[in-house]
């Protein structure tokens, strides 16, 4: 491909990544509107943040397995369809709500239906986002094969760039109905579609080098498959549980088991969530391992594992940062969303200058330094007030800047035989980790902390405002009932608000543990490479 074609293709990929960021930032900005309109708990908010992320892994993994055969262009058409459909479905969610004069049961039923419409819309947009990354990462790694980490960092400047542009537009729209803000996604979606029409996509580095399909799968092996499958099945099980489709009606499942009449297959085995979960995960992972006859690359397995805390530190926190920082920012007369826009601006600028930094301290050294800075920044945000918030937010912005693209660069450089699969599985595990664990965890921490504080210090208030016990991937929890809270006098509402603000700080302190874990891992990895002659890009041959 000529240089002009490369540039157009690169910038088309860049704008496609901006589109994925638009959906993310708008969701973060309008989540409080959804909470009021659909009566969401903090954990339900976290689940909506999560479903906007974890299905990304389904599409990125599936397309990575077949993308060299169907072509990058076909995948981008699917991404365009997903982005368009998600906008329509999400904007139609208010149609599920009960009208005026409805009974309390009808209102609750309407809110529940509306929640699942929002869930479906966010699920579909995440599929589109995963497809986008399934294309753009291997494309850029192929056309810039000798400087993968540098150009993947520049490519991923599109993510914070989209957060900045989309965030500023959404904030400037003020009290405009949230449905119009969702429609903002159409701008970059149409633009990337126009940019990529007629572009000639390259043959992947793996295919060009003659590495077989099975050799690509061997790089992942049993261990890599185990990580991916465990996370996907965990979230699918959680969704089915919420839908009351499985593990709720045990009498039904007992009937199913007895009707099978299979010796040794007991009712407890089938109806126990843990047994079913590990059985499915083990069977799929083992089948993949036997097909490839490979345990997988140990270092790749470890890199996949560290993607969970990495993604939670960056995307999990970013999902909540507007909400978490609202109390501190309101004291300065600003919206919490400005913290996300500000830190994203830092990321966008720094990622364009990743090349010299990577050359100076190596990708692994950069990841270690970033982890230390992010830990200090997150811990500082949990205590900061006034304009000190902006100072520690700057640290957090610097810390998270290079995480995602540098990890992709390390995988692309160290495991080139894995082609699109190892590269995209890394991003997929990150999204799964934050979708299954990170985003929902931050919401669940808040719900449980509020429950604990009210039960301990304000018993009467607790009995007045708490909802029924609910289920999540983290077990049972009891959230505040927003409808009950609105009916209380201002003194009660103020108590709950203050307790909620303290819970937000607790959530930030908790997530600061993740970059500390990452720091230890990257220091050990840095020492390993130093003992073997230093970090080097692997030769695909």
């Amino acid at each position: 491909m000529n240089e002009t074609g490369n540039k157009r293709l690169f910038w088309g990929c860049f704008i496609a990544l901006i589109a994925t960021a638009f959906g993310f930032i708008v969701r973060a900005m309008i989540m409080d509107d959804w909470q009021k309109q659909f009566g969401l708990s903090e954990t339900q908010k976290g689940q909506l943040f999560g479903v906007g992320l974890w299905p990304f892994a389904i599409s990125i993994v599936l397309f990575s397995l077949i993308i060299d055969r169907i072509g990058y262009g076909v995948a981008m058409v699917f991404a365009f369809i997903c982005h368009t459909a998600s906008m329509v479905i999400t904007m139609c969610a208010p149609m599920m709500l009960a009208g005026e004069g409805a009974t309390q049961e009808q209102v609750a039923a309407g809110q529940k239906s509306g929640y699942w419409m929002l869930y479906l819309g966010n699920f579909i947009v995440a599929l589109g986002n995963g497809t986008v990354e399934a294309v753009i990462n291997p494309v850029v790694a192929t056309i810039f094969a000798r400087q993968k980490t540098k150009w993947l960092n520049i490519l991923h400047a599109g993510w914070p760039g989209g957060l900045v542009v989309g965030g500023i537009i959404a904030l400037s729209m003020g009290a405009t109905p949230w449905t119009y803000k969702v429609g903002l996604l159409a701008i970059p979606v149409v633009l990337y579609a126009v940019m990529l029409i007629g572009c000639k996509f390259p043959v992947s580095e793996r295919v060009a080098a003659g590495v077989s399909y099975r050799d690509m799968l061997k790089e992942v092996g049993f261990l890599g498959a185990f990580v991916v499958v465990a996370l996907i099945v965990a979230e699918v099980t959680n969704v089915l549980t919420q839908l009351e489709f499985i593990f709720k009606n045990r009498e039904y499942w007992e009937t199913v088991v007895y009707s099978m009449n299979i010796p040794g297959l007991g009712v407890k085995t089938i109806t126990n969530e843990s047994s079913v979960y590990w059985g499915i995960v083990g069977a799929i992972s083992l089948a993949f391992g036997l097909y490839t006859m490979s345990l997988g690359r140990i270092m790749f397995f470890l890199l996949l594992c560290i993607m969970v805390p990495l993604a939670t530190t960056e995307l999990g926190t970013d999902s909540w940062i507007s909400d978490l920082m609202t109390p501190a920012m309101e004291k300065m007369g600003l919206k919490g969303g400005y913290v996300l826009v500000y830190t994203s601006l830092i990321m966008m600028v720094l990622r364009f200058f990743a090349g010299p930094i990577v050359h100076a301290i190596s990708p692994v050294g950069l990841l270690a330094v970033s982890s230390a800075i992010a830990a200090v920044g997150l811990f500082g945000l949990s205590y900061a007030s006034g304009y000190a918030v902006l100072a520690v937010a700057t640290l957090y912005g610097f810390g998270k800047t290079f995480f995602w693209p540098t990890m992709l660069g390390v995988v692309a450089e160290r495991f080139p035989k894995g082609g699109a699969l190892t590269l995209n599985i890394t991003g997929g595990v990150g999204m799964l980790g934050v979708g299954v664990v990170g985003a929902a965890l931050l919401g669940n921490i808040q719900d449980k902390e509020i429950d604990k504080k009210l039960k301990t210090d304000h018993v009467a208030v607790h009995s007045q405002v708490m909802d029924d016990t609910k289920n999540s991937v983290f077990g049972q929890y009891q959230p505040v009932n927003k409808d009950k809270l609105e009916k209380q006098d201002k003194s009660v509402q103020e108590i709950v608000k203050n307790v909620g603000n303290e819970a937000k700080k607790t959530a930030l302190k908790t997530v600061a543990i993740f970059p500390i874990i990452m720091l230890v891992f990257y220091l050990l990895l840095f020492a390993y490479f130093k003992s073997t002659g230093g970090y080097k890009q692997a030769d695909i041959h």
Side-chain angles (χ1 to χ4, degrees):
M1 190 188 298
N2 58 40
E3 186 176 347
T4 302
N6 274 343
K7 286 183 177 179
R8 181 179 176 186
L9 180 57
F10 175 82
W11 291 113
C13 292
F14 187 88
I15 294 170
L17 190 56
I18 286 178
T20 68
F22 259 59
F24 183 92
I25 188 72
V26 169
R27 182 171 64 249
M29 296 289 185
I30 65 178
M31 188 59 74
D32 285 343
D33 296 326
W34 286 352
Q35 182 175 43
K36 292 174 184 177
Q37 193 168 12
F38 297 95
L40 307 178
S41 69
E42 297 301 315
T43 299
Q44 285 177 315
K45 286 167 64 178
Q47 288 165 343
L48 285 178
F49 282 134
V51 77
L53 298 172
W54 70 261
F56 171 107
I58 295 177
S59 54
I60 198 172
V61 171
L62 291 180
F63 273 103
S64 295
L65 289 168
I66 61 174
I67 202 161
D68 292 326
R69 298 181 181 181
I70 67 171
Y72 295 115
V74 173
M76 287 307 295
V77 170
F78 178 79
F80 177 81
I81 293 171
C82 285
H83 284 147
T84 304
S86 71
M87 281 189 289
V88 175
I89 292 171
T90 303
M91 293 166 73
C92 289
M95 297 170 62
M96 299 293 104
L97 298 174
E100 293 184 12
T103 64
Q104 188 173 354
E105 289 77 13
Q106 290 172 327
V107 170
Q111 288 179 333
K112 185 176 181 179
S113 298
Y115 165 78
W116 285 110
M117 280 282 283
L118 294 177
Y119 197 95
L120 178 61
N122 281 281
F123 177 89
I124 293 174
V125 78
L127 289 179
N129 293 346
T131 307
V132 165
E133 288 228 23
V135 172
I136 65 175
N137 290 325
V139 164
V140 172
T142 297
I143 60 180
F144 300 107
R146 296 184 179 181
Q147 294 178 303
K148 294 177 183 177
T149 300
K150 171 187 173 180
W151 282 99
L152 283 169
N153 267 283
I154 294 174
L155 170 68
H156 281 267
W159 172 263
L163 297 182
V164 171
V165 176
I168 290 174
I169 295 174
L171 286 168
S172 67
M173 293 174 73
T176 304
W178 63 262
T179 49
Y180 291 95
K181 297 176 182 178
V182 170
L184 291 174
L185 180 59
I187 299 172
V189 167
V190 171
L191 191 55
Y192 82 68
V194 172
M195 285 285 291
L196 293 178
I197 290 176
C199 280
K200 184 179 179 181
F201 291 94
V203 175
S204 74
E205 183 184 19
R206 192 266 306 176
V207 174
V211 177
S212 71
Y213 185 77
R214 182 165 291 193
D215 283 341
M216 177 183 75
L217 298 182
K218 284 182 177 180
E219 296 289 285
V220 178
F222 168 79
L223 292 174
F226 183 84
V227 175
V228 178
V229 174
L231 289 169
I232 290 178
V233 175
E235 185 58 26
V236 171
T237 301
N238 180 45
V239 173
L240 293 176
T241 301
Q242 291 181 61
L243 284 168
E244 300 182 356
F245 176 76
I246 195 169
F247 303 139
K248 291 294 183 181
N249 189 345
R250 292 185 180 272
E251 291 181 0
Y252 168 75
W253 287 105
E254 287 173 8
T255 302
V256 171
V257 174
Y258 283 130
S259 67
M260 291 179 181
N261 196 28
I262 301 175
L265 186 63
V267 174
K268 290 184 178 180
T269 302
I270 292 295
T271 56
N272 180 278
E273 292 93 307
S274 180
S275 298
V276 174
Y277 171 76
W278 290 113
I280 294 172
V281 172
I284 297 175
S285 303
L286 184 59
F288 188 91
L290 291 173
Y291 174 76
T292 60
M293 294 303 292
S294 169
L295 184 64
R297 302 287 290 272
I298 300 298
M299 184 180 293
F300 178 65
F301 167 73
L302 294 175
L303 291 172
L304 287 183
C305 292
I306 208 64
M307 276 301 293
V308 176
L310 182 149
T312 300
T313 301
E314 180 182 340
L315 295 181
T317 306
D318 280 355
S319 296
W320 278 100
I321 199 71
S322 298
D323 186 75
L324 295 175
M325 296 312 301
T326 292
M329 295 297 284
E330 281 181 342
K331 294 178 181 178
M332 296 184 287
L334 298 172
K335 294 182 179 179
Y338 281 110
V339 175
L340 179 55
V341 171
Y342 173 62
T343 57
S344 298
L345 180 61
I346 292 172
M347 291 172 68
M348 180 183 68
V349 174
L350 289 179
R351 283 183 177 179
F352 279 104
F353 300 97
I357 301 173
V358 169
H359 180 73
I361 62 175
S362 86
V364 178
L366 177 58
L367 288 166
V369 172
S370 297
S371 299
I373 296 174
V376 174
L378 281 172
F379 201 73
L381 282 174
S382 69
Y383 286 99
S385 60
Y387 289 99
V389 168
L390 297 178
V392 290
T394 302
L395 276 178
Y396 170 61
F398 272 84
K400 68 175 180 172
T401 291
F402 301 110
F403 281 152
W404 197 277
T406 304
M407 276 290 287
L408 294 180
V410 169
V411 171
E413 290 177 350
R414 295 296 303 176
F415 308 103
K417 288 185 179 180
L421 187 62
T422 49
L423 182 59
N424 288 331
I425 278 182
T426 304
V429 165
M431 284 294 188
L432 271 170
V434 72
V436 175
V437 180
L441 174 63
L442 287 166
N444 195 255
I445 290 169
Q446 293 174 73
D447 276 329
K448 289 183 176 180
E449 187 68 15
I450 292 170
D451 179 30
K452 176 183 174 183
K453 289 289 184 182
L454 290 179
K455 191 178 293 182
T456 302
D457 302 332
H458 307 279
V459 180
V461 173
H462 184 276
S463 63
Q464 293 170 330
V465 302
M466 300 308 287
D467 204 343
D468 297 331
T469 300
K470 298 180 181 294
N471 292 299
S472 76
V473 71
F474 305 106
Q476 293 186 330
Y477 69 99
Q478 192 173 6
V480 171
N481 185 304
K482 304 301 178 183
D483 292 332
K484 288 183 180 180
L485 181 60
E486 288 180 1
K487 296 175 183 178
Q488 304 301 318
D489 57 48
K490 289 186 177 179
S491 62
V492 172
Q493 292 178 0
E494 190 65 24
I495 289 172
V496 176
K497 180 181 178 181
N498 291 336
V499 170
N501 290 343
E502 288 301 314
K504 295 179 191 302
K505 293 181 179 180
T506 299
L508 282 170
K509 290 177 194 173
T510 303
V511 80
I513 296 171
F514 291 118
I516 295 173
I517 295 171
M518 293 157 55
L519 174 61
V520 173
F521 172 80
Y522 290 129
L523 288 175
L524 291 173
L525 191 60
F526 185 84
Y528 165 76
F529 280 122
K530 188 173 182 180
S531 69
T532 57
Y535 177 90
K536 296 183 182 69
Q537 181 172 332
D539 185 349
I540 194 168
H541 299 289

